Amino acid sequence: MGSSVLLYSVCLFAAIGGFCFGYDTGVISGVLTMTPFKIQMTGEDYLSPLQTGTITGLLLAGCFIGALLGGPSAEWISRKRTIVWGSFVFIVGAAVQCGNNGYAMMVVGRFIAGLGIGCLSMIVPLYQSELAPKEIRGRLIALQQLMVTIGLMVAFWVGAGTEHYETEASYRIPLGIQIAPAIVLLIGAVFLPYSPRWLLSKGRNEEALVVLAKLHAEGDQNDARVVAEYEDIIAQIELERAVAVGSYLELFQSKLRRRLVLGILVQIFQQFTGINSIMYYAPRIFEQSGIAENSAALIASGVNGVLNVLATLPAVLYIDRLGRRFTMISGALFMACAMLLCGIVMGATGQVTTDPVTGDKSVDMSGNVHASYFCIVMVYFFVAGFAYSWGPVGWVYPAEIYPLSVRAKGTSITTAANWLMNFVISEICPVMLTSITWGTYIFFGCCCLVMAVCVFFFFPETKGKSLEEMDLVFSGPVLCYKQNKQLKHVEEASSFSSKDDEKKQQQEKEEL
């Protein structure tokens, strides 16, 4: 099926929601260190750990609730309108943050913005999955993660550009800039097409056919692939209506429970890669290698941001060729090696010191510059490994495995699980880093190994399958590594048989 420029444009535009998500989650780390912001919040030049935790944590709480609310909204008012409402809520939250007059107004703004981000992080991959043909569905959904990484990168460099200001502009400019892309998304989303699958579920068949034709065949409603997909969706909807009720309870029944568990596990595993801990601790590692404090933060966060974007590009280009399983397994093994090597070298060459006042432990590697540089390289390897694998696949896989009747509800639950685990990791990582120090990296390295094993045994391959074929994909055994082998044999046999048929037809033509 010829993929039109319109299809890519629509999915890329919707991914602006990912940019807002990445920017808002990234901008606060720089803002929290700015003296004018601290004075505005408390009247003093410092923030207590509780205040800092509340400012960061309320965003995650809002994201969790927003993701859950996005599910029913996507069913009732459509995927497209849910993007519009998510953008509007985010704009309100960003405006409250930018114009805050103190701590209370700031935390309220963070929570409201979180509602919008949670909604957008759930609905955008879902919307993209329902527009995309099966051949490039992974690529189009991966645009969400690409825009998230671009948002994170832009947030850092904007903060770096304004941190030298000694006025309130130092933090109001970074907090206010995020309103601009959200306004663009809000206005532009009004003109986006409705999801053809949502239109068909509401009985608006003619509109759905028009959308499918515009996106996949440059407007040709008689295109064979368009007609086939249109008929497959209708048949699947009729089947689901006959056997399903479309409620949240259906997700917990035996037929869909497996998909719900796998969707949640993908999101949990994404957080348990340890990406948050490595990004948190990277500046400290760089400082220990002898780099000045300001330069360490710049190199650690700035270069990591650029690397994160560049390493996501291979996923956008090749995820539909490599498949979800290979991408997740190879990424987990790559990250496990980086984490384990980093932790082992830190443990073997560094000295663990204890703060006599707080009792916090830290690793001093100043005595071995070569080991410090090795750990820096492992940091970069880890970020690259996450960016091409679990970063994008964490959004791709859950958005494509559920049937239409509960797709929005299932995606909202799995996305909420991501935000919940994000909160859990943000709470336990600082404790781990100040108690078991380098053991934190060993722990997350082992988690990555467990993830690779789980994917190998339990996660079926979804590449090249339409959304309507997912029932067949998940009808096999729970230990799906055998199922994947069988599917390969079937595909090879079918390809051989098709070649034999072509040869026979050619022979018959020659005889005639």
Side-chain angles (χ1 to χ4, degrees):
M1 183 178 296
S3 55
S4 66
V5 175
L6 177 62
L7 175 63
Y8 278 94
S9 300
V10 169
C11 290
L12 182 60
F13 187 86
I16 293 176
F19 179 89
C20 296
F21 160 22
Y23 186 95
D24 194 66
T25 54
V27 73
I28 198 65
S29 60
V31 167
L32 288 172
T33 64
M34 297 177 181
T35 301
F37 177 79
K38 297 175 184 177
I39 295 174
Q40 177 72 14
M41 292 298 101
T42 63
E44 306 288 343
D45 60 352
Y46 67 90
L47 290 171
S48 70
L50 177 61
Q51 291 169 328
T52 301
T54 302
I55 291 174
T56 56
L58 273 181
L59 176 80
L60 300 178
C63 290
F64 176 79
I65 297 173
L68 291 177
L69 294 177
S73 173
E75 295 286 359
W76 295 337
I77 66 173
S78 81
R79 282 66 161 141
K80 164 184 161 177
R81 290 173 182 156
T82 301
I83 293 177
V84 173
W85 278 108
S87 304
F88 176 76
V89 173
F90 176 75
I91 290 170
V92 173
V96 172
Q97 291 180 70
C98 179
N100 76 83
N101 59 6
Y103 177 74
M105 194 170 174
M106 182 64 188
V107 296
V108 170
R110 294 291 289 170
F111 179 77
I112 296 174
L115 293 175
I117 291 174
C119 179
L120 290 172
S121 66
M122 167 264 160
I123 194 60
V124 170
L126 172 63
Y127 178 73
Q128 292 167 325
S129 73
E130 293 190 343
L131 296 184
K134 61 184 180 181
E135 294 86 356
I136 57 171
R137 186 176 60 243
R139 174 184 299 178
L140 294 179
I141 302 175
L143 291 174
Q144 159 83 350
Q145 179 63 16
L146 178 63
M147 293 299 283
V148 170
T149 60
I150 292 174
L152 287 165
M153 179 183 69
V154 172
F156 170 79
W157 290 111
V158 169
T162 63
E163 66 178 353
H164 64 280
Y165 294 169
E166 297 180 358
T167 64
E168 293 181 359
S170 62
Y171 69 87
R172 294 196 190 275
I173 290 176
L175 292 175
I177 283 177
Q178 61 190 328
I179 299 174
I183 291 176
V184 172
L185 180 61
L186 172 67
I187 297 174
V190 175
F191 302 97
L192 293 177
Y194 287 99
S195 162
R197 288 170 169 82
W198 181 83
L199 288 171
L200 286 168
S201 71
K202 300 302 180 183
R204 297 161 64 174
N205 294 20
E206 293 183 1
E207 293 179 62
L209 182 58
V210 170
V211 172
L212 282 172
K214 285 183 177 179
L215 293 176
H216 299 166
E218 298 180 351
D220 183 5
Q221 297 183 22
N222 297 317
D223 182 89
R225 301 290 295 273
V226 170
V227 173
E229 184 174 3
Y230 175 77
E231 293 176 348
D232 286 345
I233 299 172
I234 290 179
Q236 185 68 22
I237 289 173
E238 291 177 351
L239 176 63
E240 290 178 11
R241 284 175 177 169
V243 300
V245 293
S247 67
Y248 279 100
L249 293 176
E250 186 183 350
L251 287 165
F252 296 92
Q253 295 175 0
S254 58
K255 181 182 177 182
L256 295 178
R257 189 186 305 129
R258 177 188 176 193
R259 293 189 228 186
L260 180 64
V261 171
L262 293 181
I264 292 174
L265 281 178
V266 168
Q267 300 284 26
I268 292 175
F269 286 162
Q270 188 190 60
Q271 294 302 317
F272 270 86
T273 57
I275 185 66
N276 287 333
S277 69
I278 202 75
M279 298 297 278
Y280 171 86
Y281 207 50
R284 181 68 61 84
I285 298 175
F286 283 35
E287 289 173 28
Q288 292 167 349
S289 66
I291 300 174
E293 182 177 355
N294 292 337
S295 300
L298 181 66
I299 296 173
S301 301
V303 176
N304 266 342
V306 175
L307 177 63
N308 206 6
V309 173
L310 296 178
T312 305
L313 292 174
V316 175
L317 297 175
Y318 300 114
I319 189 171
D320 289 302
R321 296 184 186 179
L322 300 176
R324 284 50 159 167
R325 280 171 55 85
F326 175 82
T327 303
M328 288 192 286
I329 292 172
S330 63
L333 293 176
F334 194 82
M335 290 185 291
C337 291
M339 279 288 198
L340 291 172
L341 289 173
C342 183
I344 290 171
V345 169
M346 287 181 71
T349 63
Q351 293 184 342
V352 178
T353 59
T354 303
D355 189 308
V357 178
T358 63
D360 293 343
K361 297 179 181 179
S362 62
V363 179
D364 181 11
M365 297 180 64
S366 58
N368 194 324
V369 176
H370 296 295
S372 295
Y373 280 118
F374 177 84
C375 289
I376 291 172
V377 173
M378 290 302 102
V379 169
Y380 286 145
F381 278 2
F382 173 82
V383 171
F386 176 85
Y388 91 83
S389 61
W390 285 85
V393 177
W395 302 110
V396 172
Y397 202 84
E400 62 185 4
I401 61 177
Y402 299 107
L404 180 60
S405 59
V406 292
R407 186 171 297 137
K409 296 180 178 67
T411 307
S412 71
I413 291 176
T414 54
T415 306
N418 179 286
W419 289 112
L420 180 61
M421 287 302 106
N422 195 329
F423 174 77
V424 171
I425 294 297
S426 68
E427 291 296 315
I428 67 173
C429 273
V431 177
M432 294 175 68
L433 290 167
T434 56
S435 57
I436 61 174
T437 60
W438 54 267
T440 305
Y441 300 97
I442 303 297
F443 170 79
F444 284 118
C446 292
C447 286
C448 290
L449 292 176
V450 171
M451 288 157 47
V453 173
C454 287
V455 172
F456 177 77
F457 282 107
F458 301 113
F459 284 71
E461 182 57 72
T462 59
K463 80 163 183 175
K465 304 295 181 183
S466 69
L467 297 179
E468 288 66 45
E469 292 176 313
M470 291 302 163
D471 285 345
L472 179 62
V473 171
F474 286 90
S475 62
V478 174
L479 292 176
C480 66
Y481 71 98
K482 295 181 180 179
Q483 175 188 0
N484 289 299
K485 289 181 179 179
Q486 293 172 357
L487 288 174
K488 287 182 180 179
H489 291 315
V490 170
E491 290 174 357
E492 290 174 358
S494 62
S495 64
F496 286 136
S497 64
S498 63
K499 290 179 181 178
D500 291 338
D501 291 339
E502 290 177 0
K503 289 180 181 179
K504 289 179 181 179
Q505 290 176 0
Q506 289 178 354
Q507 290 175 355
E508 290 175 355
K509 288 180 180 179
E510 292 174 357
E511 291 175 357
L512 292 171

